[in-house]
């Protein structure tokens, strides 16, 4: 009886270790380096940002089509990830804030 309890306890401990390791492996799966993100083409980068919570405001969609928005994010990526932008319109600043927020969520430090 005592031996079977020890075996069950050992198996439960082993299962906990395996599940913890699997959870940690999955956590890093959606993490990227800055270089990974910069290497993506404009469309893939935009889709990844949207998939991870980028909320594109109606104000920016009145100014840029999806294609132009993809290109803008790719071209100004270094600025946008810092919450800055090269344009003075508030819509661009809102977009920069959104990109910065999602970037921080995605980045591997």
């Amino acid at each position: 009886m005592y031996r079977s309890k020890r075996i069950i306890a050992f198996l439960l401990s082993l299962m906990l270790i395996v599940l913890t390791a699997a959870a940690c492996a999955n956590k890093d799966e959606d993490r990227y380096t800055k270089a990974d993100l910069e290497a993506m083409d404009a469309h893939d980068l935009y889709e990844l940002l949207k998939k991870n919570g980028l909320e594109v405001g109606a104000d920016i969609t009145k100014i840029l089509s999806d294609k132009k928005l993809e290109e803008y994010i790719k071209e100004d990526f270094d600025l946008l990830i810092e919450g800055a932008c090269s344009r003075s319109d508030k819509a661009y600043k809102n977009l920069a804030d959104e990109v910065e927020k999602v970037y921080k969520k995605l980045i591997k430090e």
Side-chain angles (χ1 to χ4, degrees):
M1 182 76 163
Y2 177 72
R3 184 178 174 150
S4 64
K5 286 183 180 181
R6 286 184 65 188
I7 291 172
I8 290 172
F10 172 75
L11 291 175
L12 288 174
S13 297
L14 185 61
M15 189 169 55
L16 180 62
I17 291 168
V18 169
L19 291 174
T20 302
C24 289
N26 286 339
K27 181 181 177 189
D28 289 340
E29 197 173 287
D30 289 339
R31 307 278 302 214
Y32 300 85
T33 64
K34 182 180 178 196
D36 292 335
L37 297 173
E38 289 174 330
M40 291 181 177
D41 68 34
H43 177 74
D44 291 342
L45 178 60
Y46 179 62
E47 289 300 317
L48 178 68
L49 292 171
K50 283 192 342 184
K51 176 183 149 198
N52 284 278
L54 179 68
E55 294 180 18
V56 179
D59 51 354
I60 195 76
T61 58
K62 290 177 184 174
I63 300 169
L64 298 173
S65 66
D66 274 353
K67 183 72 175 159
K68 292 289 185 186
L69 185 55
E70 291 172 3
E71 292 168 7
Y72 174 70
I73 290 172
K74 179 71 177 172
E75 289 169 8
D76 280 10
F77 189 67
D78 283 335
L79 284 173
L80 296 172
I81 63 174
E82 299 294 328
C85 56
S86 61
R87 316 262 170 90
S88 61
D89 192 292
K90 179 126 176 79
Y92 288 93
K93 177 58 179 150
N94 293 340
L95 177 66
D97 291 341
E98 279 293 312
V99 170
E100 179 185 26
K101 180 179 74 176
V102 175
Y103 173 77
K104 286 179 178 178
K105 180 176 152 185
L106 288 172
I107 197 70
K108 252 188 245 184
E109 300 274 339

